[in-house]
Amino acid sequence: ILQSGTGRAARPEEAGQVVDRVTEAAGLPSPGGLLTLDADRLLEAQAKVAATRGFGTMLFAPMADGETLPQQPLEAVAAGAASGIPVMIGTNRDEAKLFFAMQQREPMDDAALERAAGALFPGASAERLRAAIAAVREARRARGLPAENLDVLDTLWSEGIFRQNALRLALAQRQHEPRTYVYFFTYASPARRGALGACHALEMPFVFGTLDAPGQDRFAGTGPDVERLSANMMDAWIAFARSGDPSHEGIGRWEAYDAEQRPTMVFDRESGLERDPYAEERRAAESLLGG
């Protein structure tokens, strides 16, 4: 069970760029100083780099070095490295919002949005960027979701970095193992008057049944609907661990993923199987990635 996306590791040149940027942000003359840097300074340097990095840079991620990790995970899966292993994989709708939660973000105008989106997807043309931005904005408005420029950017970030990798891995695995299932978590946190949305890590207290842990009432919410969502997710995770099939009475039949209909279990206050949910956002990210 893979949560919050996967399928890609940093290339050596990307890892080197991260090391150089963190070294510079920490005010060190050479990378060797990172080995003895105290935790507070290292975290401060990490935050500085994370706030400015582009889509191609992976911060503190696994590296496909050809030895310890011989190849990109997605390539290995596509070649059948995980053949015979059932897989359940998914992401949260607003993954990016957790990473920006501690930053003071000023509203951005349309030109700034295009520049920021261009930094996330450096290979995309200006025409594609504008089309993707418009599609995401229209889709979010139609769903009654916040659609200001920062919300659009967060959606492109969430879709491009997290969801696309997860879906591509699912399709690669599906060629070798029919028991491949995809979920999408869309329940929004009540914290900060809903500003976090369905952010990164929000699914964790639901999966592990820790809604009563300190602070989770503010992050995950309370009430019968919240408890039912947690029960549905726990039962699905347990059913999958037992049998390789996450279906259960609370959510009904969970169909395996495929490229044609893209059946996906959407977890929210009311959970159920949908065909290609949030398709407009998915296609927007694909267009920018060349998918």
Side-chain angles (χ1 to χ4, degrees):
I1 301 176
L2 304 106
Q3 295 173 223
S4 292
T6 186
R8 179 171 182 261
R11 297 186 295 271
E13 59 270 25
E14 292 175 321
Q17 291 172 6
V18 170
V19 171
D20 290 342
R21 292 183 184 184
V22 174
T23 299
E24 181 182 0
L28 297 172
S30 66
L34 294 172
L35 296 174
T36 57
L37 196 66
D38 66 79
D40 288 340
R41 286 185 62 194
L42 184 60
L43 289 172
E44 182 181 350
Q46 172 185 330
K48 289 180 181 178
V49 176
T52 59
R53 68 192 180 104
F55 175 80
T57 303
M58 301 183 70
L59 189 60
F60 299 135
M63 180 182 73
D65 62 353
E67 297 180 13
T68 305
L69 188 60
Q71 65 183 132
Q72 286 289 333
L74 181 58
E75 295 174 1
V77 170
S83 179
I85 301 175
V87 166
M88 191 170 91
I89 186 169
T91 58
N92 298 355
R93 184 186 62 206
D94 306 303
E95 298 274 3
K97 289 191 176 296
L98 182 71
F99 301 101
F100 296 116
M102 301 306 294
Q103 298 181 20
Q104 186 65 37
R105 304 172 77 192
E106 298 296 330
M108 57 172 51
D109 60 21
D110 291 348
L113 172 58
E114 286 191 28
R115 289 195 298 271
L120 287 173
F121 305 94
S125 67
E127 182 180 0
R128 282 193 175 189
L129 287 169
R130 286 191 288 271
I133 287 169
V136 168
R137 192 190 312 280
E138 182 179 352
R140 288 186 65 88
R141 284 175 174 168
R143 302 184 206 286
L145 296 171
E148 299 300 323
N149 284 348
L150 285 175
D151 299 304
V152 172
L153 181 63
D154 289 349
T155 299
L156 291 172
W157 202 95
S158 302
E159 289 281 339
I161 291 179
F162 285 92
R163 194 178 181 210
Q164 281 297 308
N165 282 333
L167 296 182
R168 289 179 176 187
L169 188 140
L171 290 174
Q173 177 68 354
R174 187 66 171 82
Q175 301 303 310
H176 305 281
E177 171 54 60
R179 295 169 298 175
T180 301
Y181 304 90
V182 170
Y183 74 85
F184 199 43
F185 184 84
T186 62
Y187 169 80
S189 169
R192 300 191 178 191
R193 300 180 182 178
L196 293 178
C199 66
H200 183 72
L202 181 57
E203 87 283 6
M204 300 296 282
F206 292 89
V207 170
F208 288 102
T210 56
L211 294 175
D212 57 351
Q216 290 300 339
D217 57 336
R218 298 188 297 277
F219 184 51
T222 60
D225 290 350
V226 171
E227 293 172 4
R228 182 173 66 251
L229 172 56
S230 180
N232 281 335
M233 296 188 76
M234 286 192 291
D235 286 351
W237 266 239
I238 292 169
F240 180 78
R242 283 175 173 164
S243 68
D245 183 345
S247 305
H248 65 83
E249 184 177 352
I251 58 175
R253 181 173 175 239
W254 187 336
E255 297 176 20
Y257 198 65
D258 65 69
E260 182 177 351
Q261 297 192 31
R262 297 180 180 269
T264 303
M265 185 60 64
V266 177
F267 284 107
D268 209 318
R269 291 183 182 273
E270 296 295 333
S271 302
L273 194 74
E274 297 185 21
R275 311 287 179 185
D276 199 7
Y278 291 76
E280 296 83 1
E281 292 89 334
R282 174 186 63 77
R283 287 193 291 263
E286 284 182 351
S287 72
L288 298 179
L289 289 168

